[in-house]
Amino acid sequence: KQINVALVGNPNSGKTSLFNQASGSNERTGNYSGVTISPHESLVTINGYSINIIDLPGTYSLSAYSPEEAFVRRYIIDKQPDVVINIVDASNLERNLYLTTQLIDMDIKVVMALNMYDELTAKGDQLNIVQLGELLGIPIVPTVASKGKGIKELFEHVIQIHEEQEPTYRHIHIHYGDDLEKSLHNLQDLIWHDKHITDKVSSRLLAVQLLEKDKGAEAFLSHFPKFTGIKSKAEQENATLEKQFQEDSASLVSEARYGFIAGALKETFLKKADLQ
Ligand code: BGO
């Protein structure tokens, strides 16, 4: 009954506060300076489960451009935590949900801590949490980490998702739009044929990363025999998209992610100004 849980969220989303509340520790914030990143870990017992909580560095994205991004991504891929708690700043939903879309693409078990929920309610904004959770396929628990609110419920959902008893959890696909989806499909087709590749990472995730010209994905794929063919197909798909849209294919992917977020928030989120 041991569960490895990694905390993943934007800087200042309240990760350290949540870690401290859950573990009863008193870590100071922002101590990830320099090149050595050693995440804080704490073992706690909740409802009879031994939960190992790992606080990863704050990051806006998993695109591996910064050392923090690369570290968090590698950690998730290599260490395969059983559950990821995605801490989202409720007062800055659009930006924070970007990271969530990347976690969705990674096809892992995620529970969202909708933190700073006090700020959202203080502003008078309204969010349909259940509906957003259903759209994302992720259980969402409102929290106020600085006051310890919602932490118990959060970990109850962590246990539930680990035990495959979480009704909200399902693997969704972010829809990248018809043109990008066609390219993804073509790339996935090639990746699929090498069973050894898909044993390790989802073919869809790799296809998305190839459209993003992700160096990490290329490095990973370079170890497999089909790499040359996959790489030239990716270059071809990227060139076609770039010609059609007159835009970098990586930007097209991130715009599609923001489009997905905007669509989800349009259905579930109302600012106070729009309520009157
Ligand atoms: C300071 N609600 C509110 N309102 N604030 C929260 C919540 C919440 O749910 N959760 C955390 N905070 P970190 P990262 C601070 O430190 O945990 C606050 O980077 C201050 N400090 O208390 O550090 C939390 O680990 C002086 O605020 O986030 C912290 O993810 C004045 O959000 C900040 C005001 O939390 C970031 C706040 C000297």
Side-chain angles (χ1 to χ4, degrees), residues 12-25:
N12 282 320
S13 56
K15 259 171 3 69
T16 314
S17 308
L18 200 150
F19 178 82
N20 287 347
Q21 285 288 345
S23 63
S25 74

Side-chain angles (χ1 to χ4, degrees), residues 187 190 224-236:
L187 289 171
L190 279 185
F224 297 95
K226 298 254 164 74
F227 176 62
T228 322
I230 295 171
K231 188 171 160 59
S232 69
K233 183 73 184 160
E235 283 165 358
Q236 191 191 324

Side-chain angles (χ1 to χ4, degrees), residues 10-18 29 115-119 143-146:
N10 285 191
N12 282 320
S13 56
K15 259 171 3 69
T16 314
S17 308
L18 200 150
T29 62
N115 198 40
M116 315 266 179
Y117 192 64
D118 53 337
E119 295 199 2
T143 58
V144 183
S146 50

Side-chain angles (χ1 to χ4, degrees), residues 79 107 111 191 257 260:
K79 303 280 168 92
D107 193 8
V111 175
I191 297 168
R257 286 202 182 107
F260 172 84

Side-chain angles (χ1 to χ4, degrees), residues 3 7 36 44 53 61 73 88 92 135 150 186 192 217 227 231 244 247-248:
I3 312 178
L7 306 184
T36 358
V44 294
I53 310 170
S61 150
R73 186 163 105 172
V88 162
N92 205 337
L135 280 172
N186 292 342
W192 248 106
F227 176 62
K231 188 171 160 59
Q244 186 182 348
E247 217 179 323
D248 184 59

Side-chain angles (χ1 to χ4, degrees), residues 237-258:
E237 293 296 338
N238 287 343
T240 309
L241 288 168
E242 288 174 1
K243 188 161 176 239
Q244 186 182 348
F245 292 97
Q246 292 294 301
E247 217 179 323
D248 184 59
S249 59
S251 309
L252 293 171
V253 171
S254 74
E255 275 168 26
R257 286 202 182 107
Y258 278 117

